[in-house]
Amino acid sequence: MKKLTLLIIEDEEAIRDMLRFSLSNSEFNLIDAENTSKAMRILSQHTPDLIILDWMLPDMSGIDFIKQIKKQEILNEIPIIMLTAKAEEDNKIMGLMVGADDYITKPFSPNELSARIRTVLRRGLIKSPSDEVRLDELCINTNKCSVSIRSSVLKLTPIEYRLLYFFVLHPDKIYSRDQLINYIWGRNAYIDERTIDVQIKRLRCKLEPHGYHERIRTVRNAGYIFNRNDHVKAK
Ligand code: CA
């Protein structure tokens, strides 16, 4: 089996050591960098299968680093998992908006991270060089912030767009109303939980003519889940 190469960009030596120790095995091959300039040098010679990127780095923020990578044809399809500290949680949605595929909050266990790595690598969303995220016939253009299904362009509000983008990047996992509010509006937003219900209802209405509405399922007493496959029907 071909080993998958992971590039870790993290300035804290202890975390790099921990990851190197826990993730180097028969499955993964690790390369690490303590700053983004070293990471760029590595990326000029290697194309890793996935990047694990710290949010706060000495020479450039993780967000700016993602923006740079996304401009480069060969690099922009590499999935990225961001490492964020608790206090930086507000910024998670920003990370997702600029193109990170997932994030994990410090402190985390190596097992948790390797589970996330597998999920991201398995997700199978095709990101083409034109900044498109596809799920079956649904296509999200992250440059234009537009969504189309087959050849129809959906008229979504910015909130509906963010909700759908979030769901497509995080399928098959239940999110509470509170979590969705944090991801979509930010942690400090004062948003009533019923607002989420209203927004999801509107989003479903817009997806219904295209047959994608049943992928967003309400989970009683828990929140919402977006099904990656359409054979799981809503009850
Ligand atoms: Ca750091």
Coordinates of all heavy atoms in Angstrom, one line a residue, residues 8-72:
I8 N 3.1 18.7 8.2 CA 2.7 19.3 9.4 C 3.4 20.7 9.5 O 4.6 20.8 9.4 CB 3.1 18.5 10.6 CG1 2.3 17.2 10.6 CG2 2.8 19.3 11.9 CD1 2.8 16.2 11.5
I9 N 2.6 21.7 9.6 CA 3.2 23.1 9.7 C 2.8 23.6 11.1 O 1.6 23.9 11.3 CB 2.7 24.0 8.6 CG1 2.9 23.3 7.2 CG2 3.5 25.4 8.6 CD1 2.2 24.1 6.1
E10 N 3.7 23.6 12.0 CA 3.4 23.9 13.4 C 4.7 24.4 14.0 O 5.8 23.8 13.9 CB 2.9 22.6 14.1 CG 2.9 22.6 15.6 CD 2.0 23.6 16.2 OE1 0.8 23.3 16.3 OE2 2.5 24.6 16.6
D11 N 4.6 25.6 14.7 CA 5.9 26.1 15.3 C 6.2 25.5 16.7 O 7.3 25.6 17.2 CB 5.8 27.6 15.4 CG 4.6 28.1 16.2 OD1 3.5 27.5 16.0 OD2 4.7 29.1 17.0
E12 N 5.2 24.9 17.4 CA 5.5 24.3 18.7 C 6.1 22.9 18.5 O 5.5 22.0 18.0 CB 4.2 24.1 19.5 CG 3.7 25.4 20.1 CD 2.4 25.2 20.7 OE1 2.3 24.5 21.8 OE2 1.4 25.8 20.2
E13 N 7.4 22.8 18.9 CA 8.1 21.6 18.7 C 7.5 20.4 19.4 O 7.5 19.3 18.8 CB 9.6 21.8 19.3 CG 10.5 20.8 18.8 CD 11.9 21.0 19.3 OE1 12.2 21.9 20.0 OE2 12.8 20.1 19.0
A14 N 6.9 20.6 20.6 CA 6.3 19.5 21.3 C 5.2 18.9 20.5 O 5.0 17.7 20.5 CB 5.8 20.0 22.7
I15 N 4.4 19.7 19.8 CA 3.3 19.2 19.0 C 3.8 18.5 17.8 O 3.3 17.4 17.5 CB 2.3 20.3 18.7 CG1 1.6 20.9 19.9 CG2 1.2 19.8 17.7 CD1 0.6 21.9 19.7
R16 N 4.8 19.0 17.2 CA 5.4 18.3 16.0 C 6.0 17.0 16.4 O 5.7 16.0 15.7 CB 6.6 19.2 15.4 CG 6.2 20.4 14.7 CD 7.3 20.8 13.7 NE 8.6 21.0 14.3 CZ 9.0 22.0 14.9 NH1 8.3 23.1 15.1 NH2 10.3 22.0 15.4
D17 N 6.6 16.9 17.6 CA 7.2 15.6 18.1 C 6.1 14.6 18.3 O 6.2 13.5 18.0 CB 8.0 15.8 19.4 CG 9.3 16.5 19.1 OD1 9.7 16.6 17.9 OD2 10.0 17.0 20.0
M18 N 5.0 15.1 19.0 CA 3.9 14.3 19.3 C 3.3 13.7 18.1 O 3.0 12.5 18.0 CB 2.9 15.1 20.1 CG 1.7 14.3 20.7 SD 0.2 14.4 19.6 CE -0.5 16.0 20.2
L19 N 3.1 14.6 17.0 CA 2.5 14.1 15.8 C 3.4 13.1 15.0 O 2.9 12.1 14.5 CB 2.1 15.3 14.9 CG 1.0 16.2 15.5 CD1 0.8 17.4 14.5 CD2 -0.3 15.4 15.7
R20 N 4.7 13.5 15.0 CA 5.6 12.6 14.3 C 5.6 11.2 15.0 O 5.6 10.2 14.3 CB 7.0 13.2 14.4 CG 7.9 12.7 13.2 CD 9.3 13.3 13.3 NE 9.4 14.7 13.3 CZ 9.9 15.4 14.3 NH1 10.4 14.8 15.4 NH2 10.0 16.7 14.3
F21 N 5.6 11.2 16.3 CA 5.6 10.0 17.1 C 4.3 9.2 16.8 O 4.3 8.0 16.6 CB 5.8 10.3 18.6 CG 5.8 9.0 19.4 CD1 6.9 8.2 19.4 CD2 4.7 8.7 20.2 CE1 6.9 7.0 20.2 CE2 4.7 7.6 21.0 CZ 5.8 6.7 21.0
S22 N 3.2 9.9 16.9 CA 1.9 9.1 16.9 C 1.4 8.8 15.5 O 0.6 7.9 15.3 CB 0.9 9.9 17.7 OG 0.7 11.2 17.2
L23 N 1.8 9.6 14.5 CA 1.2 9.4 13.1 C 2.2 8.7 12.2 O 1.7 8.2 11.1 CB 0.8 10.7 12.5 CG -0.3 11.5 13.2 CD1 -0.5 12.9 12.5 CD2 -1.6 10.7 13.2
S24 N 3.5 8.7 12.5 CA 4.4 7.9 11.6 C 4.1 6.4 11.8 O 4.4 5.9 12.8 CB 5.8 8.2 11.9 OG 6.1 9.5 11.7
N25 N 3.6 5.8 10.8 CA 3.4 4.4 10.9 C 3.3 3.8 9.5 O 3.8 4.5 8.5 CB 2.1 4.1 11.6 CG 0.9 4.9 11.1 OD1 0.8 5.2 9.9 ND2 0.0 5.3 11.9
S26 N 2.8 2.7 9.3 CA 2.7 2.1 8.0 C 1.9 2.8 7.0 O 2.0 2.7 5.8 CB 2.2 0.6 8.1 OG 1.0 0.6 8.8
E27 N 1.0 3.7 7.6 CA 0.0 4.4 6.7 C 0.5 5.7 6.3 O 0.3 6.2 5.2 CB -1.3 4.5 7.6 CG -2.5 4.7 6.8 CD -3.7 4.8 7.7 OE1 -3.6 4.5 8.9 OE2 -4.8 5.2 7.2
F28 N 1.1 6.5 7.2 CA 1.5 7.8 6.9 C 3.0 8.0 6.9 O 3.7 7.5 7.8 CB 0.9 8.8 8.0 CG -0.6 8.7 8.0 CD1 -1.2 8.5 9.3 CD2 -1.4 9.0 6.9 CE1 -2.6 8.4 9.3 CE2 -2.8 8.9 7.0 CZ -3.4 8.6 8.2
N29 N 3.4 9.0 6.1 CA 4.8 9.4 6.0 C 4.8 10.9 6.4 O 4.0 11.6 5.8 CB 5.2 9.1 4.6 CG 6.7 9.6 4.3 OD1 7.5 9.6 5.2 ND2 6.9 9.9 3.0
L30 N 5.6 11.3 7.3 CA 5.5 12.7 7.8 C 6.6 13.6 7.4 O 7.8 13.2 7.5 CB 5.4 12.7 9.3 CG 4.0 12.8 9.9 CD1 3.2 11.6 9.6 CD2 4.0 13.2 11.3
I31 N 6.3 14.8 7.0 CA 7.3 15.8 6.8 C 6.8 17.0 7.7 O 5.6 17.2 7.8 CB 7.3 16.4 5.3 CG1 7.2 15.2 4.3 CG2 8.5 17.3 5.1 CD1 7.1 15.7 2.9
D32 N 7.7 17.7 8.4 CA 7.2 18.8 9.1 C 8.0 20.1 8.9 O 9.2 20.1 8.4 CB 7.1 18.5 10.6 CG 8.3 18.0 11.3 OD1 9.4 18.7 11.1 OD2 8.3 17.0 12.0
A33 N 7.4 21.2 9.2 CA 8.0 22.5 9.0 C 7.5 23.4 10.2 O 6.4 23.3 10.6 CB 7.5 23.2 7.7
E34 N 8.5 24.2 10.7 CA 8.1 25.1 11.9 C 7.6 26.4 11.5 O 7.2 27.2 12.3 CB 9.3 25.2 12.9 CG 10.5 25.9 12.4 CD 11.5 25.0 11.6 OE1 11.1 23.9 11.2 OE2 12.6 25.4 11.4
N35 N 7.7 26.7 10.2 CA 7.1 28.0 9.7 C 6.7 27.9 8.3 O 6.9 26.9 7.6 CB 8.1 29.1 9.9 CG 9.5 28.8 9.2 OD1 9.5 28.3 8.1 ND2 10.6 29.0 9.9
T36 N 6.0 28.9 7.7 CA 5.4 28.8 6.4 C 6.5 28.9 5.3 O 6.3 28.3 4.2 CB 4.3 29.8 6.1 OG1 4.9 31.1 6.2 CG2 3.2 29.7 7.1
S37 N 7.6 29.6 5.6 CA 8.6 29.7 4.5 C 9.3 28.4 4.3 O 9.5 28.0 3.1 CB 9.6 30.8 4.8 OG 10.1 30.8 6.1
K38 N 9.5 27.6 5.4 CA 10.1 26.3 5.2 C 9.0 25.4 4.5 O 9.4 24.6 3.6 CB 10.5 25.7 6.6 CG 11.2 24.3 6.4 CD 11.7 23.8 7.7 CE 12.3 22.3 7.4 NZ 12.5 21.6 8.7
A39 N 7.8 25.5 4.9 CA 6.7 24.7 4.3 C 6.7 25.0 2.8 O 6.5 24.1 2.0 CB 5.4 25.1 4.9
M40 N 6.8 26.3 2.4 CA 6.8 26.6 0.9 C 8.0 25.9 0.2 O 7.8 25.5 -0.9 CB 6.9 28.1 0.7 CG 5.5 28.8 0.9 SD 4.3 28.1 -0.3 CE 2.9 29.1 0.0
R41 N 9.1 25.9 0.9 CA 10.3 25.2 0.2 C 10.0 23.7 0.0 O 10.3 23.2 -1.0 CB 11.5 25.4 1.1 CG 12.2 26.8 0.9 CD 13.7 26.8 1.4 NE 13.9 26.4 2.8 CZ 13.7 27.2 3.8 NH1 13.4 28.5 3.6 NH2 13.9 26.8 5.0
I42 N 9.4 23.1 1.1 CA 9.0 21.7 1.0 C 8.0 21.5 -0.2 O 8.1 20.6 -1.0 CB 8.5 21.2 2.3 CG1 9.6 21.2 3.4 CG2 7.8 19.8 2.2 CD1 9.1 20.9 4.8
L43 N 7.0 22.4 -0.2 CA 6.0 22.3 -1.3 C 6.5 22.5 -2.7 O 5.8 22.1 -3.6 CB 4.8 23.2 -1.0 CG 3.9 22.8 0.2 CD1 3.0 23.9 0.6 CD2 3.2 21.5 0.0
S44 N 7.6 23.1 -2.8 CA 8.2 23.2 -4.2 C 8.8 21.9 -4.6 O 9.1 21.8 -5.8 CB 9.2 24.4 -4.2 OG 10.3 24.0 -3.4
Q45 N 9.0 21.0 -3.7 CA 9.6 19.7 -4.1 C 8.7 18.5 -3.9 O 8.8 17.5 -4.5 CB 10.9 19.5 -3.3 CG 12.0 20.4 -3.7 CD 13.1 20.5 -2.8 OE1 13.1 19.7 -1.8 NE2 14.1 21.3 -3.0
H46 N 7.7 18.6 -3.0 CA 6.8 17.5 -2.7 C 5.4 18.0 -2.8 O 5.1 19.1 -2.5 CB 7.0 17.1 -1.2 CG 8.4 16.6 -0.9 ND1 8.8 15.3 -0.9 CD2 9.4 17.4 -0.4 CE1 10.0 15.2 -0.5 NE2 10.5 16.5 -0.2
T47 N 4.5 17.1 -3.1 CA 3.1 17.3 -3.1 C 2.5 16.4 -2.1 O 2.2 15.2 -2.4 CB 2.4 17.2 -4.5 OG1 3.2 17.9 -5.4 CG2 1.0 17.6 -4.5
P48 N 2.3 16.9 -0.8 CA 1.7 15.9 0.2 C 0.3 15.6 -0.1 O -0.4 16.3 -0.9 CB 1.8 16.7 1.5 CG 1.9 18.2 1.1 CD 2.5 18.2 -0.3
D49 N -0.2 14.6 0.5 CA -1.6 14.2 0.4 C -2.6 15.0 1.3 O -3.7 15.1 1.0 CB -1.8 12.7 0.7 CG -1.0 11.8 -0.3 OD1 -1.5 11.7 -1.4 OD2 0.0 11.3 0.1
L50 N -2.0 15.6 2.3 CA -2.8 16.4 3.2 C -1.8 17.3 4.0 O -0.7 16.9 4.3 CB -3.5 15.4 4.2 CG -4.5 16.1 5.2 CD1 -5.8 15.3 5.2 CD2 -4.0 16.1 6.6
I51 N -2.3 18.5 4.4 CA -1.6 19.4 5.2 C -2.3 19.6 6.5 O -3.5 19.8 6.6 CB -1.4 20.8 4.5 CG1 -0.6 20.6 3.2 CG2 -0.7 21.8 5.4 CD1 -0.6 21.9 2.3
I52 N -1.5 19.5 7.6 CA -2.0 19.9 8.9 C -1.4 21.2 9.3 O -0.1 21.3 9.3 CB -1.6 18.8 10.0 CG1 -2.3 17.5 9.6 CG2 -2.1 19.2 11.4 CD1 -1.7 16.3 10.3
L53 N -2.2 22.2 9.5 CA -1.7 23.6 9.5 C -2.1 24.3 10.8 O -3.3 24.3 11.2 CB -2.3 24.3 8.3 CG -2.0 25.8 8.2 CD1 -0.6 26.1 8.0 CD2 -2.9 26.4 7.1
D54 N -1.1 24.8 11.5 CA -1.4 25.5 12.8 C -2.0 26.9 12.4 O -1.6 27.5 11.4 CB -0.1 25.7 13.6 CG -0.4 26.3 14.9 OD1 -1.5 26.1 15.5 OD2 0.5 27.0 15.5
W55 N -2.8 27.4 13.2 CA -3.4 28.8 12.9 C -2.4 29.9 13.1 O -2.3 30.8 12.3 CB -4.7 28.9 13.8 CG -5.3 30.3 13.7 CD1 -4.9 31.5 14.3 CD2 -6.5 30.6 12.9 NE1 -5.8 32.5 13.9 CE2 -6.7 32.0 13.0 CE3 -7.3 29.8 12.0 CZ2 -7.8 32.6 12.4 CZ3 -8.3 30.4 11.4 CH2 -8.6 31.8 11.6
M56 N -1.7 29.8 14.3 CA -0.8 30.9 14.6 C 0.6 30.4 14.4 O 1.1 29.6 15.0 CB -0.9 31.3 16.1 CG -2.3 31.9 16.5 SD -2.4 33.6 15.9 CE -1.5 34.4 17.2
L57 N 1.3 31.1 13.4 CA 2.6 30.7 13.1 C 3.5 32.0 13.1 O 3.0 33.1 13.0 CB 2.7 30.1 11.6 CG 2.0 28.7 11.6 CD1 1.6 28.4 10.1 CD2 3.0 27.6 12.1
P58 N 4.8 31.8 13.3 CA 5.6 33.0 13.5 C 5.7 34.0 12.3 O 5.7 35.2 12.4 CB 7.0 32.5 13.9 CG 7.0 31.1 13.4 CD 5.6 30.6 13.5
D59 N 5.7 33.4 11.1 CA 5.9 34.3 9.9 C 4.7 34.6 9.1 O 4.7 35.6 8.3 CB 7.0 33.7 9.0 CG 6.7 32.2 8.6 OD1 5.8 31.6 9.2 OD2 7.4 31.7 7.7
M60 N 3.6 33.9 9.3 CA 2.4 34.2 8.5 C 1.3 33.4 9.2 O 1.5 32.4 9.8 CB 2.6 33.6 7.1 CG 1.5 34.0 6.1 SD 1.7 33.1 4.6 CE 3.0 34.0 3.8
S61 N 0.1 34.0 9.2 CA -1.0 33.3 9.8 C -1.4 32.1 8.9 O -1.2 32.1 7.7 CB -2.2 34.2 10.0 OG -2.9 34.4 8.7
G62 N -2.0 31.1 9.5 CA -2.5 29.9 8.8 C -3.5 30.3 7.7 O -3.4 29.8 6.6
I63 N -4.3 31.3 7.9 CA -5.3 31.8 6.9 C -4.6 32.3 5.7 O -4.9 32.0 4.6 CB -6.2 32.9 7.6 CG1 -7.1 32.3 8.6 CG2 -7.0 33.6 6.5 CD1 -8.1 31.3 8.1
D64 N -3.6 33.2 5.9 CA -2.9 33.8 4.8 C -2.1 32.7 4.0 O -2.0 32.8 2.8 CB -1.9 34.9 5.2 CG -2.7 36.1 5.7 OD1 -3.8 36.3 5.2 OD2 -2.1 36.9 6.5
F65 N -1.6 31.7 4.8 CA -1.0 30.6 4.1 C -1.9 29.8 3.2 O -1.6 29.5 2.0 CB -0.3 29.7 5.1 CG 0.5 28.5 4.5 CD1 1.7 28.8 4.0 CD2 -0.1 27.3 4.5 CE1 2.4 27.7 3.4 CE2 0.7 26.2 3.9 CZ 1.9 26.5 3.4
I66 N -3.1 29.6 3.7 CA -4.1 28.9 2.8 C -4.4 29.7 1.6 O -4.5 29.2 0.5 CB -5.5 28.6 3.6 CG1 -5.2 27.7 4.8 CG2 -6.5 28.1 2.7 CD1 -6.5 27.4 5.6
K67 N -4.6 31.0 1.8 CA -4.9 31.9 0.6 C -3.8 31.7 -0.4 O -4.1 31.7 -1.6 CB -5.0 33.3 1.1 CG -6.4 33.6 1.8 CD -6.4 35.0 2.2 CE -7.7 35.3 3.0 NZ -7.6 36.6 3.7
Q68 N -2.5 31.7 0.0 CA -1.4 31.6 -0.9 C -1.5 30.2 -1.7 O -1.3 30.2 -2.9 CB -0.1 31.6 -0.2 CG 0.2 33.0 0.3 CD 1.7 33.3 0.2 OE1 2.5 32.4 0.0 NE2 2.1 34.5 0.4
I69 N -1.7 29.2 -0.9 CA -1.8 27.8 -1.5 C -2.9 27.7 -2.5 O -2.7 27.1 -3.6 CB -1.9 26.8 -0.4 CG1 -0.6 26.6 0.4 CG2 -2.4 25.5 -0.9 CD1 -0.5 25.3 1.0
K70 N -4.0 28.3 -2.2 CA -5.2 28.1 -3.1 C -5.0 28.8 -4.4 O -5.8 28.6 -5.3 CB -6.5 28.7 -2.4 CG -6.9 27.8 -1.2 CD -7.3 26.4 -1.6 CE -7.5 25.5 -0.4 NZ -7.7 24.1 -0.7
K71 N -4.0 29.7 -4.5 CA -3.8 30.4 -5.7 C -2.9 29.6 -6.7 O -2.7 29.9 -7.8 CB -3.0 31.7 -5.5 CG -3.9 32.8 -4.9 CD -3.0 34.1 -4.9 CE -3.5 35.0 -3.7 NZ -2.5 35.8 -3.1
Q72 N -2.3 28.5 -6.1 CA -1.4 27.7 -6.9 C -2.0 26.4 -7.4 O -2.5 25.6 -6.7 CB -0.1 27.4 -6.1 CG 0.6 28.7 -5.7 CD 1.9 28.4 -5.0 OE1 2.6 27.6 -5.4 NE2 2.1 29.2 -3.9

